[in-house]
Amino acid sequence: MFKALVVDKDAEGKTFAAVKELQDAQLPDGNVTVAVQYSTLNYKDGLCLGSGGGLVKTYPHVPGIDFAGTVEASDDPRYGPGDKVVLTGWRVGEIHWGGYAQKARVNADWLVPLPQGLNTRQAMAIGTAGLTAMLAVRALEKQGLHTDQGPVLVTGAAGGVGSVAVAILAQLGYEVAAVTGRAEQGEYLQGLGAGQIVAREELNEVSRRPLEREVWAGCIDAVGGEMLARVLGQMKYGASVAALGLAGGAQLPTTVLPFILRGVNLLGIDSVMRTYDDRIDAWARLASDLPLQKLEAMVQEVGLAELPDLGRAILKGQVKGRVVVDLNA
Ligand code: NDP
């Protein structure tokens, strides 16, 4: 028997989540069984803990889009009992059962070995949010971003992706401008390395002018919507925006002018279907470029029973930094 947070649907189609005891025989198909030590809470988990947001197809369901733990049994030659592993992506926690359980059974292709220099708790303090932040940093670097080009904007900065993005960029020597709707998180963001705090109100309305003064050398955007549209018009000539989220909306009410008059690049960032090599590389960069004391400053640790409330909170943009779930709490 093992503990899991199970989401089910009642006759009226309303979902409800509860901690339950499950048996190994109830685990889904897969060739590696992992004793999960830590999972996390990401924006997508908020959706999967509640209505499902169109991501969850069958119930009962175990959410948790990422986890770290120890291999218990494996039919795949790449992993054996006792190996420490990390899982992100591959729609685990959405169409496959995920990490909100003391045991998970998955496909070996979806795993990576625990990165050197990180323990399982630290790997999940980073989690999908942090991996995505690193993928965005790498994409901007590939476009030629350098520390001498000016400030790099991070939107949704006090959230999970934003917090890690601020800390990585600052560690790499960039001047970081952090956009937040929570003025009270200014000190927290400065502690992570933000040199400038930008109030959300300054950017969350579309300007009547499609092009404004050129300000930002790069941007990591977790918000989308009107804020992304606004930011595109403020990018420096030839600069790039890594778009990875939709916390503020999925629409993009912009014009082509930033692209055709200023050569601005809009880079799409997906963390879910990344190749093994790509994930290995991004995790290695995280282990080297993210200061662990800053990572710790972002973390709150919880047990399974606290997740339904926190899931509702993250969808309202009320969670600060990263939530780590201890499966043995
Ligand atoms: P969080 O909720 O932790 O962070 C989102 C932040 O966005 C909030 O903390 C808040 O920051 C800000 N925000 C929330 N609502 C609004 C709004 N209406 N207008 C403007 N800003 C808002 O979520 P995550 O960091 O886990 O995820 C962020 C986004 O990235 C989500 O949309 C998620 O789906 C996406 N994502 C995408 C991935 C990919 O592979 N592309 C992987 C992981 C996440 P503040 O209070 O500082 O303003």
Side-chain angles (χ1 to χ4, degrees), residues 64-98:
I65 67 165
D66 45 20
F67 62 76
T70 306
V71 172
E72 207 176 78
S74 171
D75 292 332
D76 186 285
R78 288 169 289 179
Y79 298 102
D83 288 349
K84 303 270 188 213
V85 290
V86 173
L87 182 140
T88 59
W90 301 94
R91 304 204 63 194
V92 170
E94 303 173 38
I95 54 176
H96 309 285
W97 278 16

Side-chain angles (χ1 to χ4, degrees), residues 38-189:
Y38 293 98
S39 183
T40 84
L41 178 73
N42 298 275
Y43 188 90
K44 235 183 204 178
D45 293 313
L47 296 172
C48 296
L49 281 161
S51 69
L55 302 171
V56 181
K57 304 296 177 203
T58 56
Y59 292 91
H61 177 66
V62 176
I65 67 165
D66 45 20
F67 62 76
T70 306
V71 172
E72 207 176 78
S74 171
D75 292 332
D76 186 285
R78 288 169 289 179
Y79 298 102
D83 288 349
K84 303 270 188 213
V85 290
V86 173
L87 182 140
T88 59
W90 301 94
R91 304 204 63 194
V92 170
E94 303 173 38
I95 54 176
H96 309 285
W97 278 16
Y100 291 169
Q102 290 172 320
K103 279 191 198 187
R105 186 168 291 150
V106 294
N107 184 329
D109 293 338
W110 305 335
L111 296 167
V112 293
L114 181 69
Q116 269 190 3
L118 297 176
N119 59 33
T120 48
R121 184 180 180 280
Q122 289 160 339
M124 281 300 102
I126 295 169
T128 300
L131 181 76
T132 309
M134 179 51 85
L135 293 170
V137 170
R138 285 194 332 171
L140 293 177
E141 288 174 342
K142 207 167 152 202
Q143 287 299 122
L145 182 66
H146 285 293
T147 50
D148 57 4
Q149 291 169 344
V152 178
L153 192 70
V154 176
T155 69
V161 178
S163 293
V164 181
V166 168
I168 296 171
L169 288 168
Q171 179 70 10
L172 293 174
Y174 290 96
E175 183 187 339
V176 184
V179 185
T180 185
R182 292 177 276 179
E184 70 278 12
Q185 300 303 348
E187 208 173 306
Y188 161 73
L189 290 166

